[in-house]
Amino acid sequence: MQSANMNVMIKAARKAGRSLVKDFREVENLQVSVKGAGDFVSRADHESERIIKEELRGARPNYGWLGEETGAEPGEDPTRRWLVDPLDGTTNFLHGLPHWAVSIALEHKGEIIAAVVFDAAKDELYTAEKGGGAWMNGQRLRVSGRRKMIESVFATGVPFGGNGPLPATLKDLARLMPITAGVRRFGTASLDMAYVAAGRFDGYWERHINAWDIAAGILLVKEAGGFVETIRGDGPVVDAGNIVCANPQVFPELAKIVRTWD
Ligand code: LIP
């Protein structure tokens, strides 16, 4: 049984996903014109947010809003807000790499209570509601059962274009690569977290990240049985700007390593 809010979120994500898939097919043809492709993707991103906003605010006009493209708008109900990334993995999308997603979360009194991440290119729909488990296309998700770091694969985001603290992430990588099965940088935080929930990745951390990128992923990982904290281990995660999550077995060691530099 899914809530009325979840139905609204899925409808919005699928509608935005359809629009993005259509635009994604065009992107390849635009690669020769760098500026053309950049402007086109920016329009696709804004159109996706317009579609999602119309659906969500149409159905729940009193909820607050935080979207990557249109920013924050308070709602009449101060206890609830949507957190939306209309196109997570913009660089992948721009380069014709089929690894990007729509991410929608609903927060109530500071806690994420419903989450949808839609990987439209692969038709994988990840959903979670507080207390109701995490799901992908109707299948229940569980975090992996791996216990050894040497068998675990982790995901992260590496700051690019001078937009974050690169040295600490490089130190993380230098410590983790020799003692794990590897670290991936796929470029879409919401999917990194959905993959932790699905047991594909054993954990994920990122030092410089926005609320709309991780809001839905937080609930997916928790509902799949994983641990989610800030890198410092204090306070709420969603607005903290950094995150570490993993299955309960490898979480302590991953967290210990990424906490060394703080
Ligand atoms: C991106 C992320 C990516 C992360 C970047 C960026 P965008 O989101 O999902 O994995 O490392 O910092 O925030 O900009 O494509 O929505």
Side-chain angles (χ1 to χ4, degrees):
M1 260 298 276
Q2 68 200 19
S3 70
N5 276 332
M6 180 52 70
N7 290 336
V8 169
M9 293 163 77
I10 292 175
K11 187 172 170 223
R14 286 202 181 278
K15 201 166 170 187
R18 271 197 299 277
S19 163
L20 288 168
V21 163
K22 227 188 299 146
D23 289 335
F24 188 64
R25 290 198 194 107
E26 292 293 313
V27 167
E28 265 195 343
N29 307 326
L30 294 167
Q31 293 302 330
V32 279
S33 144
V34 172
K35 183 156 190 323
D39 289 353
F40 179 82
V41 170
S42 167
R43 277 200 297 278
D45 202 347
H46 280 87
E47 175 61 7
S48 176
E49 183 147 330
R50 191 196 63 73
I51 291 168
I52 296 167
K53 205 170 190 174
E54 189 175 271
E55 291 292 327
L56 299 184
R57 296 217 94 175
R60 303 285 182 268
N62 56 334
Y63 290 10
W65 173 269
L66 178 68
E68 179 171 18
E69 304 307 323
T70 56
E73 288 167 27
E76 261 171 50
D77 178 350
T79 69
R80 290 183 173 82
R81 70 170 170 162
W82 300 113
L83 293 106
V84 173
D85 191 342
L87 174 54
D88 188 23
T90 319
T91 307
N92 285 345
F93 192 98
L94 175 64
H95 285 252
L97 298 164
H99 194 74
W100 43 268
V102 170
S103 177
I104 302 174
L106 176 59
E107 184 188 61
H108 182 223
K109 295 185 177 165
E111 195 184 0
I112 307 298
I113 57 161
V116 171
V117 172
F118 184 38
D119 178 342
K122 304 184 200 72
D123 197 24
E124 291 188 339
L125 181 80
Y126 299 85
T127 58
E129 290 196 79
K130 196 184 161 203
W135 302 80
M136 193 266 279
N137 292 352
Q139 265 190 310
R140 185 85 189 246
L141 300 179
R142 295 294 305 168
V143 292
S144 74
R146 286 188 196 88
R147 295 171 175 276
K148 294 185 182 148
M149 292 294 275
I150 196 66
E151 290 169 2
S152 298
V153 172
F154 297 101
T156 191
V158 182
F160 56 92
N163 70 347
L166 189 55
T169 301
L170 295 181
K171 286 183 194 165
D172 295 337
L173 291 170
R175 286 279 297 278
L176 283 163
M177 292 307 282
I179 60 159
T180 64
V183 177
R184 304 288 183 265
R185 199 286 187 249
F186 282 4
T188 305
S190 60
L191 288 179
D192 290 339
M193 297 186 75
Y195 281 21
V196 173
R200 293 172 175 174
F201 287 142
D202 303 290
Y204 156 78
W205 85 101
E206 189 153 355
R207 293 184 171 275
H208 187 72
I209 193 75
N210 293 301
W212 49 76
D213 293 312
I214 55 170
I218 290 170
L219 189 63
L220 286 171
V221 174
K222 282 187 181 167
E223 287 294 326
F227 290 174
V228 185
E229 290 183 9
T230 65
I231 287 185
R232 282 175 188 269
D234 55 355
V237 184
V238 71
D239 291 306
N242 61 77
I243 186 166
V244 54
C245 65
N247 81 31
Q249 288 78 32
V250 294
F251 181 88
E253 201 159 349
L254 175 66
K256 193 171 139 204
I257 287 173
V258 301
R259 282 174 182 154
T260 306
W261 319 113
D262 266 26

PDB file of all heavy atoms in Angstrom, residues 13-47:
ATOM      1  N   ALA A  13       7.720  12.101 -11.062  1.00  0.00           N
ATOM      2  CA  ALA A  13       9.036  11.592 -11.479  1.00  0.00           C
ATOM      3  C   ALA A  13       8.955  10.940 -12.855  1.00  0.00           C
ATOM      4  O   ALA A  13       9.842  11.128 -13.693  1.00  0.00           O
ATOM      5  CB  ALA A  13       9.561  10.592 -10.447  1.00  0.00           C
ATOM      6  N   ARG A  14       7.901  10.173 -13.086  1.00  0.00           N
ATOM      7  CA  ARG A  14       7.768   9.498 -14.393  1.00  0.00           C
ATOM      8  C   ARG A  14       7.544  10.511 -15.510  1.00  0.00           C
ATOM      9  O   ARG A  14       8.095  10.378 -16.601  1.00  0.00           O
ATOM     10  CB  ARG A  14       6.616   8.487 -14.357  1.00  0.00           C
ATOM     11  CG  ARG A  14       6.951   7.229 -13.574  1.00  0.00           C
ATOM     12  CD  ARG A  14       6.055   6.077 -14.001  1.00  0.00           C
ATOM     13  NE  ARG A  14       6.310   4.867 -13.266  1.00  0.00           N
ATOM     14  CZ  ARG A  14       7.289   3.997 -13.544  1.00  0.00           C
ATOM     15  NH1 ARG A  14       8.106   4.236 -14.553  1.00  0.00           N
ATOM     16  NH2 ARG A  14       7.446   2.909 -12.829  1.00  0.00           N
ATOM     17  N   LYS A  15       6.731  11.532 -15.229  1.00  0.00           N
ATOM     18  CA  LYS A  15       6.454  12.538 -16.251  1.00  0.00           C
ATOM     19  C   LYS A  15       7.735  13.314 -16.596  1.00  0.00           C
ATOM     20  O   LYS A  15       8.060  13.502 -17.769  1.00  0.00           O
ATOM     21  CB  LYS A  15       5.371  13.499 -15.717  1.00  0.00           C
ATOM     22  CG  LYS A  15       4.633  14.251 -16.784  1.00  0.00           C
ATOM     23  CD  LYS A  15       3.376  14.890 -16.219  1.00  0.00           C
ATOM     24  CE  LYS A  15       2.762  15.850 -17.214  1.00  0.00           C
ATOM     25  NZ  LYS A  15       1.652  16.603 -16.643  1.00  0.00           N
ATOM     26  N   ALA A  16       8.479  13.719 -15.581  1.00  0.00           N
ATOM     27  CA  ALA A  16       9.746  14.433 -15.804  1.00  0.00           C
ATOM     28  C   ALA A  16      10.743  13.503 -16.500  1.00  0.00           C
ATOM     29  O   ALA A  16      11.465  13.922 -17.407  1.00  0.00           O
ATOM     30  CB  ALA A  16      10.308  14.920 -14.473  1.00  0.00           C
ATOM     31  N   GLY A  17      10.769  12.238 -16.096  1.00  0.00           N
ATOM     32  CA  GLY A  17      11.678  11.258 -16.693  1.00  0.00           C
ATOM     33  C   GLY A  17      11.412  11.098 -18.190  1.00  0.00           C
ATOM     34  O   GLY A  17      12.352  11.017 -18.983  1.00  0.00           O
ATOM     35  N   ARG A  18      10.133  11.062 -18.569  1.00  0.00           N
ATOM     36  CA  ARG A  18       9.787  10.925 -20.003  1.00  0.00           C
ATOM     37  C   ARG A  18      10.324  12.112 -20.795  1.00  0.00           C
ATOM     38  O   ARG A  18      10.886  11.963 -21.872  1.00  0.00           O
ATOM     39  CB  ARG A  18       8.261  10.848 -20.170  1.00  0.00           C
ATOM     40  CG  ARG A  18       7.712   9.424 -20.082  1.00  0.00           C
ATOM     41  CD  ARG A  18       6.302   9.334 -20.647  1.00  0.00           C
ATOM     42  NE  ARG A  18       5.346  10.173 -19.939  1.00  0.00           N
ATOM     43  CZ  ARG A  18       4.722   9.832 -18.802  1.00  0.00           C
ATOM     44  NH1 ARG A  18       4.968   8.660 -18.246  1.00  0.00           N
ATOM     45  NH2 ARG A  18       3.872  10.645 -18.226  1.00  0.00           N
ATOM     46  N   SER A  19      10.155  13.301 -20.228  1.00  0.00           N
ATOM     47  CA  SER A  19      10.634  14.514 -20.904  1.00  0.00           C
ATOM     48  C   SER A  19      12.171  14.469 -21.043  1.00  0.00           C
ATOM     49  O   SER A  19      12.723  14.794 -22.089  1.00  0.00           O
ATOM     50  CB  SER A  19      10.156  15.731 -20.095  1.00  0.00           C
ATOM     51  OG  SER A  19      10.867  16.871 -20.426  1.00  0.00           O
ATOM     52  N   LEU A  20      12.850  14.014 -19.984  1.00  0.00           N
ATOM     53  CA  LEU A  20      14.315  13.960 -20.016  1.00  0.00           C
ATOM     54  C   LEU A  20      14.823  12.906 -21.001  1.00  0.00           C
ATOM     55  O   LEU A  20      15.813  13.133 -21.698  1.00  0.00           O
ATOM     56  CB  LEU A  20      14.867  13.676 -18.610  1.00  0.00           C
ATOM     57  CG  LEU A  20      14.764  14.843 -17.620  1.00  0.00           C
ATOM     58  CD1 LEU A  20      15.055  14.377 -16.196  1.00  0.00           C
ATOM     59  CD2 LEU A  20      15.729  15.971 -17.998  1.00  0.00           C
ATOM     60  N   VAL A  21      14.146  11.757 -21.086  1.00  0.00           N
ATOM     61  CA  VAL A  21      14.574  10.707 -22.019  1.00  0.00           C
ATOM     62  C   VAL A  21      14.498  11.234 -23.449  1.00  0.00           C
ATOM     63  O   VAL A  21      15.407  11.008 -24.255  1.00  0.00           O
ATOM     64  CB  VAL A  21      13.711   9.431 -21.841  1.00  0.00           C
ATOM     65  CG1 VAL A  21      13.851   8.498 -23.042  1.00  0.00           C
ATOM     66  CG2 VAL A  21      14.105   8.697 -20.569  1.00  0.00           C
ATOM     67  N   LYS A  22      13.434  11.971 -23.749  1.00  0.00           N
ATOM     68  CA  LYS A  22      13.280  12.550 -25.090  1.00  0.00           C
ATOM     69  C   LYS A  22      14.449  13.506 -25.369  1.00  0.00           C
ATOM     70  O   LYS A  22      15.082  13.458 -26.417  1.00  0.00           O
ATOM     71  CB  LYS A  22      11.950  13.306 -25.169  1.00  0.00           C
ATOM     72  CG  LYS A  22      11.173  12.951 -26.428  1.00  0.00           C
ATOM     73  CD  LYS A  22       9.952  13.811 -26.658  1.00  0.00           C
ATOM     74  CE  LYS A  22       8.905  13.720 -25.560  1.00  0.00           C
ATOM     75  NZ  LYS A  22       8.216  14.987 -25.340  1.00  0.00           N
ATOM     76  N   ASP A  23      14.756  14.356 -24.397  1.00  0.00           N
ATOM     77  CA  ASP A  23      15.861  15.316 -24.563  1.00  0.00           C
ATOM     78  C   ASP A  23      17.214  14.603 -24.634  1.00  0.00           C
ATOM     79  O   ASP A  23      18.101  15.021 -25.370  1.00  0.00           O
ATOM     80  CB  ASP A  23      15.868  16.327 -23.410  1.00  0.00           C
ATOM     81  CG  ASP A  23      14.701  17.303 -23.508  1.00  0.00           C
ATOM     82  OD1 ASP A  23      14.201  17.512 -24.632  1.00  0.00           O
ATOM     83  OD2 ASP A  23      14.285  17.839 -22.464  1.00  0.00           O
ATOM     84  N   PHE A  24      17.367  13.531 -23.859  1.00  0.00           N
ATOM     85  CA  PHE A  24      18.644  12.798 -23.828  1.00  0.00           C
ATOM     86  C   PHE A  24      18.986  12.244 -25.219  1.00  0.00           C
ATOM     87  O   PHE A  24      20.143  12.224 -25.616  1.00  0.00           O
ATOM     88  CB  PHE A  24      18.565  11.675 -22.794  1.00  0.00           C
ATOM     89  CG  PHE A  24      19.874  10.973 -22.546  1.00  0.00           C
ATOM     90  CD1 PHE A  24      20.953  11.658 -21.997  1.00  0.00           C
ATOM     91  CD2 PHE A  24      20.036   9.627 -22.846  1.00  0.00           C
ATOM     92  CE1 PHE A  24      22.159  11.018 -21.758  1.00  0.00           C
ATOM     93  CE2 PHE A  24      21.236   8.977 -22.611  1.00  0.00           C
ATOM     94  CZ  PHE A  24      22.299   9.675 -22.070  1.00  0.00           C
ATOM     95  N   ARG A  25      17.946  11.808 -25.958  1.00  0.00           N
ATOM     96  CA  ARG A  25      18.181  11.272 -27.320  1.00  0.00           C
ATOM     97  C   ARG A  25      18.742  12.360 -28.232  1.00  0.00           C
ATOM     98  O   ARG A  25      19.496  12.076 -29.146  1.00  0.00           O
ATOM     99  CB  ARG A  25      16.878  10.730 -27.898  1.00  0.00           C
ATOM    100  CG  ARG A  25      16.432   9.463 -27.203  1.00  0.00           C
ATOM    101  CD  ARG A  25      15.406   8.680 -28.025  1.00  0.00           C
ATOM    102  NE  ARG A  25      14.789   7.680 -27.200  1.00  0.00           N
ATOM    103  CZ  ARG A  25      13.542   7.733 -26.738  1.00  0.00           C
ATOM    104  NH1 ARG A  25      12.760   8.747 -27.066  1.00  0.00           N
ATOM    105  NH2 ARG A  25      13.065   6.788 -25.963  1.00  0.00           N
ATOM    106  N   GLU A  26      18.356  13.598 -27.970  1.00  0.00           N
ATOM    107  CA  GLU A  26      18.831  14.726 -28.789  1.00  0.00           C
ATOM    108  C   GLU A  26      20.263  15.116 -28.452  1.00  0.00           C
ATOM    109  O   GLU A  26      20.996  15.615 -29.297  1.00  0.00           O
ATOM    110  CB  GLU A  26      17.965  15.975 -28.531  1.00  0.00           C
ATOM    111  CG  GLU A  26      16.543  15.868 -29.036  1.00  0.00           C
ATOM    112  CD  GLU A  26      16.491  15.816 -30.540  1.00  0.00           C
ATOM    113  OE1 GLU A  26      17.163  16.651 -31.171  1.00  0.00           O
ATOM    114  OE2 GLU A  26      15.819  14.922 -31.074  1.00  0.00           O
ATOM    115  N   VAL A  27      20.648  14.907 -27.200  1.00  0.00           N
ATOM    116  CA  VAL A  27      21.935  15.421 -26.714  1.00  0.00           C
ATOM    117  C   VAL A  27      23.102  14.919 -27.550  1.00  0.00           C
ATOM    118  O   VAL A  27      23.997  15.683 -27.891  1.00  0.00           O
ATOM    119  CB  VAL A  27      22.136  15.071 -25.218  1.00  0.00           C
ATOM    120  CG1 VAL A  27      23.570  15.299 -24.794  1.00  0.00           C
ATOM    121  CG2 VAL A  27      21.249  15.932 -24.353  1.00  0.00           C
ATOM    122  N   GLU A  28      23.056  13.630 -27.914  1.00  0.00           N
ATOM    123  CA  GLU A  28      24.162  13.064 -28.709  1.00  0.00           C
ATOM    124  C   GLU A  28      24.402  13.844 -29.983  1.00  0.00           C
ATOM    125  O   GLU A  28      25.532  14.091 -30.368  1.00  0.00           O
ATOM    126  CB  GLU A  28      23.861  11.609 -29.037  1.00  0.00           C
ATOM    127  CG  GLU A  28      24.504  10.696 -28.033  1.00  0.00           C
ATOM    128  CD  GLU A  28      24.556   9.267 -28.502  1.00  0.00           C
ATOM    129  OE1 GLU A  28      23.827   8.906 -29.449  1.00  0.00           O
ATOM    130  OE2 GLU A  28      25.338   8.516 -27.904  1.00  0.00           O
ATOM    131  N   ASN A  29      23.322  14.268 -30.626  1.00  0.00           N
ATOM    132  CA  ASN A  29      23.456  15.013 -31.886  1.00  0.00           C
ATOM    133  C   ASN A  29      24.063  16.385 -31.677  1.00  0.00           C
ATOM    134  O   ASN A  29      24.508  17.019 -32.622  1.00  0.00           O
ATOM    135  CB  ASN A  29      22.087  15.205 -32.554  1.00  0.00           C
ATOM    136  CG  ASN A  29      21.359  13.890 -32.707  1.00  0.00           C
ATOM    137  OD1 ASN A  29      21.997  12.871 -32.916  1.00  0.00           O
ATOM    138  ND2 ASN A  29      20.032  13.914 -32.579  1.00  0.00           N
ATOM    139  N   LEU A  30      24.038  16.851 -30.426  1.00  0.00           N
ATOM    140  CA  LEU A  30      24.502  18.210 -30.153  1.00  0.00           C
ATOM    141  C   LEU A  30      25.949  18.269 -29.670  1.00  0.00           C
ATOM    142  O   LEU A  30      26.467  19.348 -29.403  1.00  0.00           O
ATOM    143  CB  LEU A  30      23.599  18.863 -29.097  1.00  0.00           C
ATOM    144  CG  LEU A  30      22.150  19.115 -29.534  1.00  0.00           C
ATOM    145  CD1 LEU A  30      21.300  19.464 -28.324  1.00  0.00           C
ATOM    146  CD2 LEU A  30      22.075  20.229 -30.557  1.00  0.00           C
ATOM    147  N   GLN A  31      26.614  17.101 -29.568  1.00  0.00           N
ATOM    148  CA  GLN A  31      27.960  17.075 -28.979  1.00  0.00           C
ATOM    149  C   GLN A  31      28.953  17.951 -29.730  1.00  0.00           C
ATOM    150  O   GLN A  31      29.889  18.469 -29.151  1.00  0.00           O
ATOM    151  CB  GLN A  31      28.508  15.650 -28.895  1.00  0.00           C
ATOM    152  CG  GLN A  31      27.750  14.766 -27.926  1.00  0.00           C
ATOM    153  CD  GLN A  31      27.712  15.301 -26.506  1.00  0.00           C
ATOM    154  OE1 GLN A  31      28.631  15.979 -26.068  1.00  0.00           O
ATOM    155  NE2 GLN A  31      26.649  15.033 -25.787  1.00  0.00           N
ATOM    156  N   VAL A  32      28.759  18.103 -31.051  1.00  0.00           N
ATOM    157  CA  VAL A  32      29.709  18.909 -31.832  1.00  0.00           C
ATOM    158  C   VAL A  32      29.692  20.371 -31.405  1.00  0.00           C
ATOM    159  O   VAL A  32      30.690  21.072 -31.464  1.00  0.00           O
ATOM    160  CB  VAL A  32      29.413  18.831 -33.356  1.00  0.00           C
ATOM    161  CG1 VAL A  32      29.992  17.548 -33.930  1.00  0.00           C
ATOM    162  CG2 VAL A  32      27.934  18.955 -33.643  1.00  0.00           C
ATOM    163  N   SER A  33      28.528  20.844 -30.937  1.00  0.00           N
ATOM    164  CA  SER A  33      28.431  22.236 -30.508  1.00  0.00           C
ATOM    165  C   SER A  33      28.360  22.273 -28.983  1.00  0.00           C
ATOM    166  O   SER A  33      27.323  22.008 -28.393  1.00  0.00           O
ATOM    167  CB  SER A  33      27.175  22.867 -31.118  1.00  0.00           C
ATOM    168  OG  SER A  33      26.592  23.769 -30.229  1.00  0.00           O
ATOM    169  N   VAL A  34      29.514  22.555 -28.365  1.00  0.00           N
ATOM    170  CA  VAL A  34      29.598  22.478 -26.900  1.00  0.00           C
ATOM    171  C   VAL A  34      28.603  23.433 -26.248  1.00  0.00           C
ATOM    172  O   VAL A  34      27.849  23.084 -25.345  1.00  0.00           O
ATOM    173  CB  VAL A  34      31.036  22.767 -26.417  1.00  0.00           C
ATOM    174  CG1 VAL A  34      31.094  22.878 -24.909  1.00  0.00           C
ATOM    175  CG2 VAL A  34      31.978  21.675 -26.901  1.00  0.00           C
ATOM    176  N   LYS A  35      28.535  24.653 -26.741  1.00  0.00           N
ATOM    177  CA  LYS A  35      27.650  25.636 -26.133  1.00  0.00           C
ATOM    178  C   LYS A  35      26.188  25.223 -26.345  1.00  0.00           C
ATOM    179  O   LYS A  35      25.372  25.265 -25.446  1.00  0.00           O
ATOM    180  CB  LYS A  35      27.903  27.025 -26.731  1.00  0.00           C
ATOM    181  CG  LYS A  35      27.059  28.093 -26.091  1.00  0.00           C
ATOM    182  CD  LYS A  35      27.640  29.472 -26.223  1.00  0.00           C
ATOM    183  CE  LYS A  35      26.913  30.491 -25.368  1.00  0.00           C
ATOM    184  NZ  LYS A  35      25.484  30.336 -25.262  1.00  0.00           N
ATOM    185  N   GLY A  36      25.930  24.755 -27.592  1.00  0.00           N
ATOM    186  CA  GLY A  36      24.562  24.323 -27.923  1.00  0.00           C
ATOM    187  C   GLY A  36      24.102  23.238 -26.976  1.00  0.00           C
ATOM    188  O   GLY A  36      23.003  23.284 -26.437  1.00  0.00           O
ATOM    189  N   ALA A  37      24.978  22.227 -26.730  1.00  0.00           N
ATOM    190  CA  ALA A  37      24.606  21.121 -25.851  1.00  0.00           C
ATOM    191  C   ALA A  37      24.389  21.621 -24.431  1.00  0.00           C
ATOM    192  O   ALA A  37      23.428  21.233 -23.763  1.00  0.00           O
ATOM    193  CB  ALA A  37      25.682  20.042 -25.887  1.00  0.00           C
ATOM    194  N   GLY A  38      25.254  22.522 -23.965  1.00  0.00           N
ATOM    195  CA  GLY A  38      25.130  23.060 -22.603  1.00  0.00           C
ATOM    196  C   GLY A  38      23.811  23.791 -22.411  1.00  0.00           C
ATOM    197  O   GLY A  38      23.096  23.554 -21.432  1.00  0.00           O
ATOM    198  N   ASP A  39      23.465  24.649 -23.346  1.00  0.00           N
ATOM    199  CA  ASP A  39      22.202  25.389 -23.252  1.00  0.00           C
ATOM    200  C   ASP A  39      21.009  24.450 -23.327  1.00  0.00           C
ATOM    201  O   ASP A  39      20.023  24.607 -22.608  1.00  0.00           O
ATOM    202  CB  ASP A  39      22.101  26.428 -24.379  1.00  0.00           C
ATOM    203  CG  ASP A  39      23.072  27.578 -24.160  1.00  0.00           C
ATOM    204  OD1 ASP A  39      23.689  27.606 -23.073  1.00  0.00           O
ATOM    205  OD2 ASP A  39      23.216  28.419 -25.063  1.00  0.00           O
ATOM    206  N   PHE A  40      21.119  23.450 -24.210  1.00  0.00           N
ATOM    207  CA  PHE A  40      20.023  22.500 -24.388  1.00  0.00           C
ATOM    208  C   PHE A  40      19.767  21.734 -23.085  1.00  0.00           C
ATOM    209  O   PHE A  40      18.629  21.584 -22.648  1.00  0.00           O
ATOM    210  CB  PHE A  40      20.381  21.534 -25.530  1.00  0.00           C
ATOM    211  CG  PHE A  40      19.328  20.506 -25.791  1.00  0.00           C
ATOM    212  CD1 PHE A  40      18.223  20.822 -26.580  1.00  0.00           C
ATOM    213  CD2 PHE A  40      19.422  19.231 -25.246  1.00  0.00           C
ATOM    214  CE1 PHE A  40      17.230  19.865 -26.814  1.00  0.00           C
ATOM    215  CE2 PHE A  40      18.441  18.284 -25.470  1.00  0.00           C
ATOM    216  CZ  PHE A  40      17.343  18.600 -26.259  1.00  0.00           C
ATOM    217  N   VAL A  41      20.875  21.262 -22.449  1.00  0.00           N
ATOM    218  CA  VAL A  41      20.729  20.483 -21.210  1.00  0.00           C
ATOM    219  C   VAL A  41      20.168  21.355 -20.092  1.00  0.00           C
ATOM    220  O   VAL A  41      19.330  20.924 -19.307  1.00  0.00           O
ATOM    221  CB  VAL A  41      22.067  19.817 -20.814  1.00  0.00           C
ATOM    222  CG1 VAL A  41      21.989  19.208 -19.427  1.00  0.00           C
ATOM    223  CG2 VAL A  41      22.443  18.760 -21.838  1.00  0.00           C
ATOM    224  N   SER A  42      20.610  22.604 -20.060  1.00  0.00           N
ATOM    225  CA  SER A  42      20.086  23.508 -19.045  1.00  0.00           C
ATOM    226  C   SER A  42      18.566  23.699 -19.233  1.00  0.00           C
ATOM    227  O   SER A  42      17.807  23.713 -18.255  1.00  0.00           O
ATOM    228  CB  SER A  42      20.853  24.827 -19.156  1.00  0.00           C
ATOM    229  OG  SER A  42      20.217  25.813 -18.439  1.00  0.00           O
ATOM    230  N   ARG A  43      18.127  23.778 -20.486  1.00  0.00           N
ATOM    231  CA  ARG A  43      16.680  23.898 -20.738  1.00  0.00           C
ATOM    232  C   ARG A  43      15.947  22.619 -20.332  1.00  0.00           C
ATOM    233  O   ARG A  43      14.870  22.658 -19.757  1.00  0.00           O
ATOM    234  CB  ARG A  43      16.422  24.207 -22.222  1.00  0.00           C
ATOM    235  CG  ARG A  43      16.561  25.687 -22.581  1.00  0.00           C
ATOM    236  CD  ARG A  43      15.835  26.020 -23.881  1.00  0.00           C
ATOM    237  NE  ARG A  43      16.413  25.309 -25.018  1.00  0.00           N
ATOM    238  CZ  ARG A  43      17.501  25.698 -25.692  1.00  0.00           C
ATOM    239  NH1 ARG A  43      18.119  26.812 -25.338  1.00  0.00           N
ATOM    240  NH2 ARG A  43      17.969  24.992 -26.702  1.00  0.00           N
ATOM    241  N   ALA A  44      16.574  21.452 -20.608  1.00  0.00           N
ATOM    242  CA  ALA A  44      15.970  20.159 -20.244  1.00  0.00           C
ATOM    243  C   ALA A  44      15.810  20.059 -18.726  1.00  0.00           C
ATOM    244  O   ALA A  44      14.774  19.606 -18.207  1.00  0.00           O
ATOM    245  CB  ALA A  44      16.837  19.014 -20.760  1.00  0.00           C
ATOM    246  N   ASP A  45      16.840  20.512 -18.014  1.00  0.00           N
ATOM    247  CA  ASP A  45      16.862  20.510 -16.550  1.00  0.00           C
ATOM    248  C   ASP A  45      15.728  21.397 -15.992  1.00  0.00           C
ATOM    249  O   ASP A  45      14.938  20.978 -15.126  1.00  0.00           O
ATOM    250  CB  ASP A  45      18.237  21.091 -16.152  1.00  0.00           C
ATOM    251  CG  ASP A  45      18.671  20.716 -14.771  1.00  0.00           C
ATOM    252  OD1 ASP A  45      17.847  20.215 -14.011  1.00  0.00           O
ATOM    253  OD2 ASP A  45      19.853  20.950 -14.436  1.00  0.00           O
ATOM    254  N   HIS A  46      15.626  22.603 -16.525  1.00  0.00           N
ATOM    255  CA  HIS A  46      14.585  23.530 -16.075  1.00  0.00           C
ATOM    256  C   HIS A  46      13.185  23.014 -16.411  1.00  0.00           C
ATOM    257  O   HIS A  46      12.252  23.161 -15.612  1.00  0.00           O
ATOM    258  CB  HIS A  46      14.781  24.926 -16.694  1.00  0.00           C
ATOM    259  CG  HIS A  46      15.828  25.719 -15.982  1.00  0.00           C
ATOM    260  ND1 HIS A  46      17.169  25.653 -16.294  1.00  0.00           N
ATOM    261  CD2 HIS A  46      15.730  26.572 -14.937  1.00  0.00           C
ATOM    262  CE1 HIS A  46      17.850  26.437 -15.476  1.00  0.00           C
ATOM    263  NE2 HIS A  46      17.010  27.006 -14.643  1.00  0.00           N
ATOM    264  N   GLU A  47      13.039  22.401 -17.579  1.00  0.00           N
ATOM    265  CA  GLU A  47      11.733  21.859 -17.969  1.00  0.00           C
ATOM    266  C   GLU A  47      11.327  20.722 -17.016  1.00  0.00           C
ATOM    267  O   GLU A  47      10.173  20.615 -16.612  1.00  0.00           O
ATOM    268  CB  GLU A  47      11.795  21.380 -19.430  1.00  0.00           C
ATOM    269  CG  GLU A  47      10.545  20.669 -19.949  1.00  0.00           C
ATOM    270  CD  GLU A  47       9.275  21.536 -19.926  1.00  0.00           C
ATOM    271  OE1 GLU A  47       9.351  22.747 -19.639  1.00  0.00           O
ATOM    272  OE2 GLU A  47       8.185  20.969 -20.182  1.00  0.00           O
TER     273      GLU A  47
END
